[in-house]
Amino acid sequence: MTRAVLSLGSNLGDRLAHLRTALTVLGDSVLLVSGVYETPPWGDTEQPTYLNAVLLAADPNADPYDWLARARAAEEAAGRVRDPERRFGPRTLDVDVVAVWTDDDRPVVSADPELTLPHPRAHLRAFVLRPWIDIQPYGQLPGHGWLTDLLTTGPVAVEVPEVSPRPDLTLESTA
């Protein structure tokens, strides 16, 4: 069995519906879903604001590349079109595999350019860390430490006020 933390983001079209598409595609593997947050764009700032969330999923038969395939399937189901000229550009749905653990609770570490684990920039993204704390308040990002420490004392601390909870918008797992 593997467990995975996946980050969801959408800033085009019906943003909440696109996040829900990811839950539908991931199906029964979804264990926990964070609250929804509205965040400014990261990297390329000339685009609409995002809705972001994080989920924890598990599957006894999934390996890390299965999680990547599922992430891409969710993006495709939401009509994601990748613009090779605009790396951090707008998108209907972005699903990132943030971290994966084996059945004996060891974090998977990978330097494969196709799937680097843990995600190489997760520790720099308040829009990943803040929702993740919703579902794992004592969670750790492998190789980087406690989520709360990263969020309060790390380089993303200045971004935290820009990550706005949206309690009026909810996601629910299908499990």
Side-chain angles (χ1 to χ4, degrees):
M1 171 181 292
T2 60
R3 287 179 298 119
V5 169
L6 304 175
S7 173
L8 313 175
S10 175
N11 74 337
L12 291 179
D14 187 339
R15 301 174 300 165
L16 186 61
H18 294 314
L19 298 182
R20 288 179 175 152
T21 295
L23 294 179
T24 299
V25 170
L26 292 162
D28 291 340
S29 68
V30 177
L31 301 176
L32 297 168
V33 182
S34 74
V36 176
Y37 291 80
E38 190 151 20
T39 63
W42 191 92
D44 180 346
T45 59
E46 298 299 318
Q47 57 182 306
T49 59
Y50 276 81
L51 289 183
N52 291 100
V54 168
L55 63 83
L56 176 67
D59 185 327
N61 301 310
D63 69 26
Y65 291 93
D66 292 327
W67 293 116
L68 179 61
R70 293 174 189 189
R72 289 180 175 165
E75 291 174 347
E76 185 176 316
R80 165 103 185 243
V81 176
R82 293 183 185 275
D83 181 350
E85 302 296 317
R86 200 168 178 195
R87 181 174 181 197
F88 298 113
R91 58 219 42 203
T92 55
L93 182 64
D94 184 44
V95 181
D96 286 335
V97 180
V98 177
V100 176
W101 292 265
T102 62
D103 59 353
D104 59 355
D105 212 32
R106 287 181 297 132
V108 175
V109 177
S110 168
D112 182 343
E114 187 73 13
L115 180 62
T116 304
L117 291 171
H119 190 287
R121 290 172 298 283
H123 68 288
L124 300 173
R125 295 178 171 171
F127 64 83
V128 172
L129 299 172
R130 179 60 198 95
W132 188 356
I133 289 172
D134 283 358
I135 60 174
Q136 291 188 318
Y138 300 102
Q140 293 185 51
L141 177 60
H144 294 281
W146 298 102
L147 301 177
T148 52
D149 289 347
L150 293 169
L151 198 61
T152 58
T153 62
V156 301
V158 297
E159 295 177 12
V160 173
E162 297 175 346
V163 178
S164 303
R166 290 292 307 268
D168 57 314
L169 304 177
T170 60
L171 296 173
E172 295 176 6
S173 72
T174 56

